[in-house]
Amino acid sequence: IAKQNYNNNSNVNIANKNNSNNTEETSNENNNEETQNVSEQKEEVKENGKVINVNDDNYIDTLNKVYEDIDGYLGTTINIEGCVFRDGGTMQENQFGAGKYYMYCCAIDMSLCGFLFQYDNYEEIKDNSWYKIEAVVDKHEVTDSYYGTYTEPLLQVKNITEISKPKETIVYQNY
């Protein structure tokens, strides 16, 4: 799980769930009129139960925005794909990380970036396997010897499906 600085001109793909007729309206990233800046969307996210569909183009920006303003995204549904990993030292038994490798400059600076998830049926999840995950943003406090106590996102899994390893497993910052 990594925290990175973000560019305020980033875009994410947002789907609006309309509960009255169960339809989804999805913005098209290629249509600049319909695509909004993430920071502009967070008020709508809080008020309208938005869904953020994370893809390779908005992956890092979405992680950054949620980590930097956790309270602004509480209750937001996030759809994301990632490779599962666990850390027996810091994660609880029902938690796992899922993410992709982020390359900032070159291969030597790559790091695994993603979210921490909590899932009651955690025993079904296989390490180093790829999953499509639908989860709701929550938060929890973490204490470690280096950073002390801090708050970070903890996504509560609603649906999870194993998928084939995607063609692209590395994501980049879009400027």
Side-chain angles (χ1 to χ4, degrees):
I1 313 296
K3 298 178 185 177
Q4 306 289 336
N5 292 327
Y6 61 87
N7 177 341
N8 286 330
N9 295 321
S10 62
N11 295 322
V12 295
N13 186 17
I14 298 283
N16 180 15
K17 290 235 179 198
N18 183 337
N19 293 332
S20 62
N21 60 12
N22 291 331
T23 62
E24 266 190 12
E25 298 170 33
T26 305
S27 69
N28 179 346
E29 282 194 334
N30 296 326
N31 185 338
N32 290 333
E33 286 182 0
E34 294 180 22
T35 302
Q36 298 174 320
N37 185 296
V38 174
S39 61
E40 293 171 2
Q41 294 171 344
K42 69 181 168 191
E43 289 305 314
E44 291 180 348
V45 167
K46 288 192 286 189
E47 296 173 7
N48 299 325
K50 295 284 183 164
V51 175
I52 299 176
N53 294 312
V54 181
N55 58 48
D56 289 348
D57 291 331
N58 67 21
Y59 202 96
I60 298 301
D61 291 329
T62 301
L63 289 172
N64 290 333
K65 301 288 179 166
V66 173
Y67 268 93
E68 300 250 342
D69 184 17
I70 300 167
D71 289 334
Y73 292 94
L74 287 176
T76 300
T77 297
I78 293 185
N79 294 311
I80 192 168
E81 294 180 357
C83 184
V84 165
F85 61 94
R86 295 189 191 163
D87 172 3
T90 59
M91 293 180 188
Q92 295 178 10
E93 188 174 78
N94 64 345
Q95 295 176 343
F96 64 91
K100 289 188 171 187
Y101 282 95
Y102 168 51
M103 186 184 312
Y104 181 74
C105 171
C106 53
I108 199 164
D109 71 7
M110 284 197 328
S111 60
L112 187 59
C113 292
F115 285 113
L116 180 65
F117 295 87
Q118 187 164 310
Y119 185 48
D120 290 338
N121 297 322
Y122 64 91
E123 65 278 349
E124 298 172 359
I125 305 302
K126 298 180 280 189
D127 287 350
N128 300 314
S129 294
W130 287 85
Y131 290 88
K132 180 175 184 174
I133 305 166
E134 177 185 19
V136 176
V137 177
D138 198 356
K139 65 182 179 178
H140 72 137
E141 286 197 356
V142 177
T143 302
D144 68 35
S145 59
Y146 187 77
Y147 290 107
T149 300
Y150 57 94
T151 302
E152 71 176 12
L154 176 65
L155 280 66
Q156 304 292 330
V157 175
K158 291 172 52 177
N159 294 303
I160 187 164
T161 305
E162 189 170 4
I163 59 173
S164 299
K165 182 179 178 179
K167 182 179 176 181
E168 188 61 61
T169 61
I170 300 172
V171 291
Y172 306 89
Q173 178 73 48
N174 289 328
Y175 294 100

Short mmCIF file of all heavy atoms in Angstrom, two decimals, residues 49-86:
data_model
loop_
_atom_site.label_atom_id
_atom_site.label_comp_id
_atom_site.label_asym_id
_atom_site.label_seq_id
_atom_site.Cartn_x
_atom_site.Cartn_y
_atom_site.Cartn_z
N GLY A 49 -23.88 8.66 -3.53
CA GLY A 49 -23.50 7.26 -3.56
C GLY A 49 -22.83 6.86 -4.86
O GLY A 49 -23.18 5.87 -5.47
N LYS A 50 -21.84 7.60 -5.30
CA LYS A 50 -21.15 7.33 -6.56
C LYS A 50 -20.31 6.08 -6.50
O LYS A 50 -19.99 5.58 -5.44
CB LYS A 50 -20.26 8.51 -6.94
CG LYS A 50 -21.00 9.78 -7.23
CD LYS A 50 -21.63 9.75 -8.58
CE LYS A 50 -22.29 11.08 -8.85
NZ LYS A 50 -22.60 11.27 -10.23
N VAL A 51 -19.95 5.63 -7.69
CA VAL A 51 -19.08 4.49 -7.86
C VAL A 51 -17.87 4.95 -8.65
O VAL A 51 -18.02 5.61 -9.68
CB VAL A 51 -19.81 3.35 -8.62
CG1 VAL A 51 -18.87 2.20 -8.91
CG2 VAL A 51 -21.03 2.88 -7.85
N ILE A 52 -16.68 4.62 -8.19
CA ILE A 52 -15.46 4.94 -8.93
C ILE A 52 -14.96 3.66 -9.58
O ILE A 52 -14.70 2.67 -8.89
CB ILE A 52 -14.37 5.52 -8.01
CG1 ILE A 52 -14.86 6.81 -7.37
CG2 ILE A 52 -13.09 5.76 -8.81
CD1 ILE A 52 -13.88 7.41 -6.37
N ASN A 53 -14.87 3.67 -10.89
CA ASN A 53 -14.33 2.55 -11.66
C ASN A 53 -12.87 2.84 -11.94
O ASN A 53 -12.55 3.71 -12.73
CB ASN A 53 -15.10 2.36 -12.97
CG ASN A 53 -16.52 1.92 -12.71
OD1 ASN A 53 -16.76 1.01 -11.94
ND2 ASN A 53 -17.47 2.60 -13.34
N VAL A 54 -12.00 2.11 -11.27
CA VAL A 54 -10.56 2.35 -11.39
C VAL A 54 -10.04 1.58 -12.60
O VAL A 54 -10.34 0.40 -12.78
CB VAL A 54 -9.82 1.91 -10.12
CG1 VAL A 54 -8.33 2.17 -10.24
CG2 VAL A 54 -10.40 2.62 -8.89
N ASN A 55 -9.26 2.28 -13.43
CA ASN A 55 -8.63 1.64 -14.59
C ASN A 55 -7.17 2.06 -14.62
O ASN A 55 -6.72 2.81 -13.75
CB ASN A 55 -9.37 2.01 -15.89
CG ASN A 55 -9.41 3.50 -16.12
OD1 ASN A 55 -8.40 4.19 -16.01
ND2 ASN A 55 -10.59 4.03 -16.42
N ASP A 56 -6.42 1.60 -15.59
CA ASP A 56 -4.99 1.91 -15.63
C ASP A 56 -4.72 3.40 -15.77
O ASP A 56 -3.71 3.90 -15.27
CB ASP A 56 -4.31 1.16 -16.79
CG ASP A 56 -4.20 -0.33 -16.52
OD1 ASP A 56 -4.44 -0.76 -15.37
OD2 ASP A 56 -3.86 -1.07 -17.46
N ASP A 57 -5.60 4.15 -16.42
CA ASP A 57 -5.38 5.58 -16.62
C ASP A 57 -5.61 6.39 -15.35
O ASP A 57 -5.00 7.44 -15.17
CB ASP A 57 -6.31 6.11 -17.72
CG ASP A 57 -5.94 5.58 -19.09
OD1 ASP A 57 -4.75 5.27 -19.32
OD2 ASP A 57 -6.84 5.47 -19.93
N ASN A 58 -6.49 5.95 -14.46
CA ASN A 58 -6.78 6.73 -13.26
C ASN A 58 -6.35 6.03 -11.97
O ASN A 58 -6.67 6.48 -10.89
CB ASN A 58 -8.26 7.09 -13.20
CG ASN A 58 -9.17 5.89 -12.99
OD1 ASN A 58 -8.75 4.84 -12.51
ND2 ASN A 58 -10.42 6.03 -13.36
N TYR A 59 -5.62 4.94 -12.10
CA TYR A 59 -5.27 4.09 -10.97
C TYR A 59 -4.54 4.87 -9.87
O TYR A 59 -4.99 4.91 -8.72
CB TYR A 59 -4.38 2.94 -11.47
CG TYR A 59 -4.37 1.74 -10.56
CD1 TYR A 59 -5.21 0.67 -10.80
CD2 TYR A 59 -3.50 1.67 -9.48
CE1 TYR A 59 -5.20 -0.45 -9.98
CE2 TYR A 59 -3.49 0.57 -8.65
CZ TYR A 59 -4.34 -0.49 -8.91
OH TYR A 59 -4.33 -1.58 -8.09
N ILE A 60 -3.42 5.46 -10.20
CA ILE A 60 -2.61 6.17 -9.20
C ILE A 60 -3.34 7.39 -8.68
O ILE A 60 -3.35 7.65 -7.47
CB ILE A 60 -1.22 6.55 -9.78
CG1 ILE A 60 -0.46 5.28 -10.17
CG2 ILE A 60 -0.43 7.40 -8.80
CD1 ILE A 60 -0.22 4.31 -9.03
N ASP A 61 -3.98 8.15 -9.56
CA ASP A 61 -4.70 9.33 -9.13
C ASP A 61 -5.82 8.98 -8.15
O ASP A 61 -6.03 9.68 -7.16
CB ASP A 61 -5.28 10.08 -10.33
CG ASP A 61 -4.20 10.72 -11.17
OD1 ASP A 61 -3.15 11.10 -10.61
OD2 ASP A 61 -4.38 10.82 -12.40
N THR A 62 -6.54 7.89 -8.42
CA THR A 62 -7.62 7.49 -7.52
C THR A 62 -7.07 7.08 -6.16
O THR A 62 -7.60 7.50 -5.12
CB THR A 62 -8.43 6.33 -8.14
OG1 THR A 62 -8.97 6.76 -9.39
CG2 THR A 62 -9.57 5.93 -7.22
N LEU A 63 -6.01 6.29 -6.14
CA LEU A 63 -5.39 5.91 -4.87
C LEU A 63 -5.00 7.15 -4.08
O LEU A 63 -5.28 7.27 -2.88
CB LEU A 63 -4.16 5.05 -5.10
CG LEU A 63 -4.38 3.63 -5.59
CD1 LEU A 63 -3.04 2.99 -5.95
CD2 LEU A 63 -5.09 2.80 -4.55
N ASN A 64 -4.32 8.07 -4.75
CA ASN A 64 -3.86 9.29 -4.08
C ASN A 64 -5.02 10.09 -3.50
O ASN A 64 -4.95 10.54 -2.36
CB ASN A 64 -3.07 10.16 -5.05
CG ASN A 64 -1.73 9.56 -5.39
OD1 ASN A 64 -1.16 8.81 -4.62
ND2 ASN A 64 -1.24 9.89 -6.57
N LYS A 65 -6.06 10.29 -4.28
CA LYS A 65 -7.20 11.10 -3.84
C LYS A 65 -7.88 10.47 -2.63
O LYS A 65 -8.22 11.16 -1.67
CB LYS A 65 -8.22 11.27 -4.96
CG LYS A 65 -7.70 11.92 -6.21
CD LYS A 65 -7.44 13.38 -6.05
CE LYS A 65 -6.90 13.89 -7.37
NZ LYS A 65 -6.87 15.28 -7.54
N VAL A 66 -8.09 9.17 -2.66
CA VAL A 66 -8.77 8.50 -1.54
C VAL A 66 -7.89 8.54 -0.30
O VAL A 66 -8.37 8.83 0.80
CB VAL A 66 -9.17 7.06 -1.91
CG1 VAL A 66 -9.72 6.31 -0.70
CG2 VAL A 66 -10.21 7.07 -3.04
N TYR A 67 -6.59 8.27 -0.44
CA TYR A 67 -5.68 8.33 0.72
C TYR A 67 -5.60 9.74 1.30
O TYR A 67 -5.50 9.90 2.51
CB TYR A 67 -4.27 7.85 0.33
CG TYR A 67 -4.07 6.38 0.57
CD1 TYR A 67 -4.28 5.46 -0.45
CD2 TYR A 67 -3.66 5.91 1.82
CE1 TYR A 67 -4.10 4.11 -0.24
CE2 TYR A 67 -3.47 4.56 2.05
CZ TYR A 67 -3.69 3.66 1.01
OH TYR A 67 -3.51 2.33 1.23
N GLU A 68 -5.62 10.75 0.45
CA GLU A 68 -5.47 12.13 0.91
C GLU A 68 -6.75 12.70 1.51
O GLU A 68 -6.70 13.63 2.30
CB GLU A 68 -4.99 13.02 -0.24
CG GLU A 68 -3.67 12.57 -0.80
CD GLU A 68 -2.54 13.52 -0.48
OE1 GLU A 68 -2.80 14.66 -0.12
OE2 GLU A 68 -1.39 13.08 -0.58
N ASP A 69 -7.91 12.16 1.15
CA ASP A 69 -9.20 12.67 1.65
C ASP A 69 -10.12 11.49 1.95
O ASP A 69 -11.19 11.36 1.36
CB ASP A 69 -9.83 13.61 0.62
CG ASP A 69 -11.12 14.24 1.11
OD1 ASP A 69 -11.39 14.23 2.33
OD2 ASP A 69 -11.89 14.73 0.26
N ILE A 70 -9.72 10.65 2.87
CA ILE A 70 -10.48 9.44 3.18
C ILE A 70 -11.92 9.79 3.54
O ILE A 70 -12.86 9.17 3.04
CB ILE A 70 -9.82 8.64 4.33
CG1 ILE A 70 -8.40 8.23 3.95
CG2 ILE A 70 -10.67 7.42 4.69
CD1 ILE A 70 -7.57 7.73 5.11
N ASP A 71 -12.12 10.76 4.41
CA ASP A 71 -13.47 11.11 4.85
C ASP A 71 -14.35 11.54 3.69
O ASP A 71 -15.56 11.30 3.70
CB ASP A 71 -13.44 12.21 5.91
CG ASP A 71 -12.88 11.71 7.24
OD1 ASP A 71 -12.99 10.50 7.51
OD2 ASP A 71 -12.32 12.53 7.99
N GLY A 72 -13.77 12.16 2.67
CA GLY A 72 -14.54 12.60 1.51
C GLY A 72 -15.03 11.45 0.65
O GLY A 72 -15.93 11.62 -0.16
N TYR A 73 -14.46 10.26 0.84
CA TYR A 73 -14.83 9.11 0.02
C TYR A 73 -15.48 7.98 0.84
O TYR A 73 -15.79 6.93 0.28
CB TYR A 73 -13.60 8.57 -0.72
CG TYR A 73 -13.12 9.55 -1.77
CD1 TYR A 73 -12.14 10.47 -1.48
CD2 TYR A 73 -13.71 9.58 -3.03
CE1 TYR A 73 -11.72 11.38 -2.43
CE2 TYR A 73 -13.30 10.48 -3.98
CZ TYR A 73 -12.31 11.39 -3.68
OH TYR A 73 -11.91 12.30 -4.62
N LEU A 74 -15.69 8.19 2.13
CA LEU A 74 -16.33 7.16 2.95
C LEU A 74 -17.68 6.77 2.33
O LEU A 74 -18.45 7.64 1.92
CB LEU A 74 -16.55 7.66 4.38
CG LEU A 74 -15.31 7.77 5.25
CD1 LEU A 74 -15.68 8.38 6.61
CD2 LEU A 74 -14.63 6.43 5.43
N GLY A 75 -17.93 5.48 2.23
CA GLY A 75 -19.19 4.99 1.67
C GLY A 75 -19.19 4.87 0.16
O GLY A 75 -20.12 4.34 -0.42
N THR A 76 -18.15 5.36 -0.50
CA THR A 76 -18.05 5.29 -1.96
C THR A 76 -17.70 3.86 -2.37
O THR A 76 -16.85 3.23 -1.77
CB THR A 76 -16.95 6.24 -2.46
OG1 THR A 76 -17.29 7.57 -2.08
CG2 THR A 76 -16.80 6.16 -3.98
N THR A 77 -18.35 3.38 -3.41
CA THR A 77 -18.02 2.06 -3.95
C THR A 77 -16.89 2.22 -4.96
O THR A 77 -16.93 3.11 -5.80
CB THR A 77 -19.25 1.43 -4.63
OG1 THR A 77 -20.25 1.23 -3.64
CG2 THR A 77 -18.91 0.10 -5.28
N ILE A 78 -15.90 1.35 -4.85
CA ILE A 78 -14.77 1.35 -5.77
C ILE A 78 -14.69 -0.01 -6.45
O ILE A 78 -14.74 -1.04 -5.77
CB ILE A 78 -13.45 1.67 -5.03
CG1 ILE A 78 -13.50 3.11 -4.54
CG2 ILE A 78 -12.24 1.41 -5.92
CD1 ILE A 78 -12.24 3.61 -3.90
N ASN A 79 -14.60 0.00 -7.76
CA ASN A 79 -14.37 -1.20 -8.56
C ASN A 79 -12.93 -1.15 -9.04
O ASN A 79 -12.53 -0.18 -9.69
CB ASN A 79 -15.32 -1.26 -9.76
CG ASN A 79 -16.75 -1.41 -9.31
OD1 ASN A 79 -17.07 -2.27 -8.50
ND2 ASN A 79 -17.62 -0.56 -9.84
N ILE A 80 -12.16 -2.20 -8.73
CA ILE A 80 -10.73 -2.18 -9.03
C ILE A 80 -10.25 -3.60 -9.29
O ILE A 80 -10.85 -4.56 -8.80
CB ILE A 80 -9.95 -1.55 -7.84
CG1 ILE A 80 -8.51 -1.24 -8.21
CG2 ILE A 80 -10.08 -2.39 -6.58
CD1 ILE A 80 -7.79 -0.36 -7.18
N GLU A 81 -9.21 -3.73 -10.10
CA GLU A 81 -8.56 -5.02 -10.33
C GLU A 81 -7.17 -4.96 -9.74
O GLU A 81 -6.50 -3.93 -9.80
CB GLU A 81 -8.46 -5.33 -11.83
CG GLU A 81 -9.80 -5.54 -12.47
CD GLU A 81 -9.70 -5.83 -13.96
OE1 GLU A 81 -8.57 -5.82 -14.52
OE2 GLU A 81 -10.75 -6.06 -14.57
N GLY A 82 -6.74 -6.10 -9.16
CA GLY A 82 -5.40 -6.12 -8.60
C GLY A 82 -4.96 -7.51 -8.23
O GLY A 82 -5.76 -8.44 -8.14
N CYS A 83 -3.66 -7.63 -8.01
CA CYS A 83 -3.04 -8.87 -7.56
C CYS A 83 -3.05 -8.87 -6.03
O CYS A 83 -2.67 -7.89 -5.40
CB CYS A 83 -1.62 -8.96 -8.09
SG CYS A 83 -0.81 -10.51 -7.68
N VAL A 84 -3.48 -9.97 -5.44
CA VAL A 84 -3.61 -10.07 -3.99
C VAL A 84 -2.27 -10.38 -3.34
O VAL A 84 -1.51 -11.20 -3.82
CB VAL A 84 -4.65 -11.14 -3.62
CG1 VAL A 84 -4.57 -11.53 -2.15
CG2 VAL A 84 -6.05 -10.65 -3.95
N PHE A 85 -2.03 -9.70 -2.24
CA PHE A 85 -0.85 -9.98 -1.42
C PHE A 85 -1.25 -9.84 0.05
O PHE A 85 -2.22 -9.16 0.37
CB PHE A 85 0.30 -9.03 -1.76
CG PHE A 85 -0.01 -7.58 -1.52
CD1 PHE A 85 0.33 -6.98 -0.32
CD2 PHE A 85 -0.64 -6.83 -2.50
CE1 PHE A 85 0.05 -5.63 -0.09
CE2 PHE A 85 -0.91 -5.47 -2.29
CZ PHE A 85 -0.57 -4.88 -1.08
N ARG A 86 -0.51 -10.52 0.90
CA ARG A 86 -0.75 -10.43 2.35
C ARG A 86 0.57 -10.21 3.06
O ARG A 86 1.62 -10.64 2.60
CB ARG A 86 -1.39 -11.72 2.86
CG ARG A 86 -2.75 -11.90 2.26
CD ARG A 86 -3.51 -13.01 2.85
NE ARG A 86 -4.66 -13.16 1.96
CZ ARG A 86 -5.42 -14.19 1.91
NH1 ARG A 86 -5.21 -15.19 2.71
NH2 ARG A 86 -6.42 -14.24 1.08
#
